[in-house]
Amino acid sequence: MNEILIRGGTLVTADGRQRADLLCRDGLIAEIGEGLDAGAGTEVIDAGGCFVMPGGIDPHTHLQLPMMGTVVADDFYTGTAAAAAGGTTAIIDFVGPERDQSPLEALAIWQDWADKATIDYGFHMTVAWWGARFSEEMEALVRQHGITSFKFFLAYKGGLMLPDAEIIEGFMRCRELGALAQVHAENGELIAHLQAKAIAAGITSPLGHALSRPSICEGEATGRAIAMAEIVDVPLYVVHVSAAQAADAIRHAQGRGVKVIAETLPGFLAIDDSVYRHPDFDFAAGHVMSPPYRPREHQAALWQAVQDGTLSTTGTDHCCFTKAQKQLGEHDFRKIPNGCGGIEDRLHVLWHLGVNGGRITPEQFVALTSANAAKSFNLWPRKGRLEVGADADVIVLDPARTKTLSAASQYQNTDFSVWEGMQVQGVVMHTVSRGAHLWADGDLRSEPGRGRYLPRTPFGGPYQGRV
Ligand code: URP
Ligand code: ZN
Ligand code: ZN
């Protein structure tokens, strides 16, 4: 029997808080109450003065992903170990088939890679191409493999972008199978036009990335994706919302009853597009991701959308590359591998800017970092809550402790951090993942292969219990 008693903390969930001890036994939360006794052999974590919360769920990661002529720097071990060090205990990563590759075949490859994960993981499927075979295999993905969310790209012309007609067919298939449709919403045609224009004007630096992806492209594509989902009547999840126009379109749709869930990333709440004007290529290219960081005024609009519930989940879109990998685009911004890290930093940044900044409560923090993702992706009630019977995915955060985020001290497998030098207050001291104490005040005890796959039930379908 394996027991951990977390003693003397304030338990926070999305619904409220209480002073209580929490006992984890054999991977589950076994007891919650005041003055719980530790048995012989029970490990005790002193949580005095600390907040005890559900472990983070990051619903948007890309580990080990082959992309733009290279491979993401974090694999399923290094990425999930870094996640644990930052208080995240579950991820949902994207399987990315090649063009015309069977999605089931791609899933087998991802399953093999993910075998070394140290925290629990689920998968979304990228709809990298469309055709009868893809559509047919979606049934097995949903019913046999528990993949119940499919991402469609309105951007990346000549690559992942699908025409609207195929997206509509794909949305209809999602509806039929009870799956959630996800979108990367940027207008790929306009971006291709603006990229060509920037290159023709001699702009090859990372600045061209931002100039060719203005927020209007995201606003338009978000509205179009919502319209398609509304007509098809399929629930929609908009990933990585960065623009005020997109948040407005989502709020408007939600207001008239359209089923739209939307995610933002900590970076979009705090980093602005001035990073692309930085003279150091490594710095500017290190921030190249899609959508790009936006002019500062978008941040207030996004915080407002977080506060009013328009944006209800946060992910990281963790897709990190080293400086050397970003050099692939030294002479052409279109070749800079798109993506930034952050799987280790999300909770710290959101606590610091959100809770300490007076923008969100600790309860909203839990909703944004775990509970709403668990609900949106059918991991609830197993994940995202502190209740007897739930998985013992628990973190202890000390609101008084500080730490400086830096590439030099991070576990993420890269030499760059978009948060370089930021001092945060509120530090994850302990991470317990399904009852295993993976992070103990600076001591990372991750083990490759202890993470378990999280198959999910179809959207709206009955929860079928533990697997
Ligand atoms: O730039 C990004 N976001 N890279 C990862 C792929 C995606 O679009 O989510
Ligand atoms: Zn994307
Ligand atoms: Zn992504």
Side-chain angles (χ1 to χ4, degrees):
M1 193 168 64
N2 163 272
E3 279 192 347
I4 299 178
L5 178 62
I6 303 175
R7 188 179 259 164
T10 300
L11 271 51
V12 185
T13 67
D15 303 316
R17 62 183 99 169
Q18 60 170 317
R19 286 293 296 273
D21 302 339
L22 183 148
L23 181 72
C24 310
R25 181 183 302 133
D26 295 335
L28 299 179
I29 297 176
E31 280 182 64
I32 292 175
E34 281 183 61
L36 297 184
D37 281 329
T42 302
E43 181 184 353
V44 177
I45 295 176
D46 176 8
C50 294
F51 290 104
V52 178
M53 298 182 280
I57 299 173
D58 189 336
H60 189 156
T61 67
H62 303 279
L63 300 177
Q64 210 160 324
L65 176 71
M67 189 178 160
M68 295 179 79
T70 184
V71 177
V72 164
D74 264 317
D75 64 21
F76 276 87
Y77 177 60
T78 61
T80 55
T88 285
T89 50
I91 60 167
I92 314 180
D93 199 85
F94 287 87
V95 176
E98 305 276 333
R99 178 160 285 273
D100 296 328
Q101 184 186 26
S102 145
L104 285 168
E105 221 172 270
L107 172 62
I109 294 169
W110 255 257
Q111 279 167 333
D112 187 41
W113 290 343
D115 261 355
K116 51 185 178 291
T118 195
I119 59 171
D120 294 351
Y121 59 95
F123 289 127
H124 313 284
M125 177 62 65
T126 296
V127 184
W129 57 278
W130 186 247
R133 185 168 184 199
F134 207 108
S135 176
E136 276 159 29
E137 291 191 8
M138 279 171 71
E139 181 160 3
L141 291 167
V142 171
R143 303 227 162 108
Q144 290 164 30
H145 298 281
I147 296 184
T148 58
S149 37
F150 292 84
K151 184 163 72 164
F152 297 79
F153 281 82
L154 284 75
Y156 300 131
K157 185 177 179 185
L160 293 168
M161 186 172 103
L162 295 180
D164 288 357
E166 294 184 352
I167 293 177
I168 293 165
E169 282 183 28
F171 279 13
M172 285 167 63
R173 187 65 171 141
C174 284
R175 180 178 197 276
E176 208 166 67
L177 294 169
L180 183 60
Q182 297 171 284
V183 283
H184 172 133
E186 289 182 289
N187 184 316
E189 292 289 352
L190 277 173
I191 290 166
H193 166 74
L194 292 171
Q195 284 177 332
K197 199 170 154 186
I199 293 289
I203 303 170
T204 58
S205 72
L207 178 61
H209 180 74
L211 294 178
S212 58
R213 306 184 95 95
S215 62
I216 188 171
C217 292
E218 186 180 337
E220 184 281 331
T222 304
R224 183 157 39 99
I226 290 169
M228 291 190 276
E230 185 174 358
I231 296 287
V232 170
D233 191 24
V234 68
L236 182 72
Y237 183 96
V238 186
V239 302
H240 53 43
V241 173
S242 71
Q245 296 98 316
D248 287 346
I250 292 160
R251 184 183 295 106
H252 196 250
Q254 289 169 339
R256 41 175 219 282
V258 184
K259 291 171 230 137
V260 191
I261 304 167
E263 157 199 289
T264 192
L265 319 181
F268 293 144
L269 296 165
I271 297 169
D272 68 62
D273 63 347
S274 61
V275 292
Y276 301 115
R277 294 182 186 275
H278 200 282
D280 176 23
F281 175 84
D282 291 340
F283 181 88
H287 289 86
V288 165
M289 65 171 298
S290 299
Y293 297 104
R294 300 296 185 192
R296 183 161 291 278
E297 58 269 21
H298 290 264
Q299 291 167 16
L302 293 185
W303 275 115
Q304 173 62 43
V306 163
Q307 288 163 336
D308 70 21
T310 303
L311 302 173
S312 59
T313 63
T314 58
T316 57
D317 197 2
H318 184 83
C319 187
C320 72
F321 299 100
T322 61
K323 291 178 190 171
Q325 288 177 296
K326 293 272 184 178
Q327 289 283 341
L328 285 168
E330 195 186 0
H331 304 296
D332 183 343
F333 67 83
R334 295 171 300 180
K335 297 190 177 140
I336 300 170
N338 277 212
C340 299
I343 202 167
E344 188 175 342
D345 309 312
R346 179 177 62 127
L347 272 59
H348 289 129
V349 171
L350 273 175
W351 184 274
H352 182 73
L353 298 177
V355 179
N356 295 345
R359 296 175 169 110
I360 55 173
T361 62
E363 287 81 359
Q364 284 173 303
F365 171 86
V366 172
L368 285 161
T369 54
S370 63
N372 289 348
K375 289 172 185 168
S376 301
F377 293 106
N378 277 351
L379 293 171
W380 186 271
R382 177 176 171 184
K383 302 280 190 197
R385 60 183 204 133
L386 300 180
E387 291 291 340
V388 171
D391 280 359
D393 289 353
V394 188
I395 59 169
V396 176
L397 181 143
D398 183 343
R401 279 282 278 263
T402 58
K403 113 176 206 163
T404 302
L405 306 179
S406 172
S409 54
Q410 69 191 4
Y411 289 90
Q412 298 170 118
N413 190 30
T414 171
D415 51 3
F416 188 79
S417 169
V418 297
W419 302 111
E420 188 64 46
M422 178 178 181
Q423 200 192 53
V424 292
Q425 182 175 340
V427 172
V428 175
M429 306 299 293
H430 299 276
T431 303
V432 175
S433 164
R434 243 184 325 94
H437 195 176
L438 293 193
W439 174 251
D441 194 3
D443 179 15
L444 184 57
R445 303 166 177 176
S446 54
E447 265 171 53
R450 65 158 298 284
R452 293 220 187 114
Y453 178 56
L454 297 167
R456 296 174 290 119
T457 50
F459 193 84
Y463 182 72
Q464 287 164 5
R466 297 177 56 76
V467 285

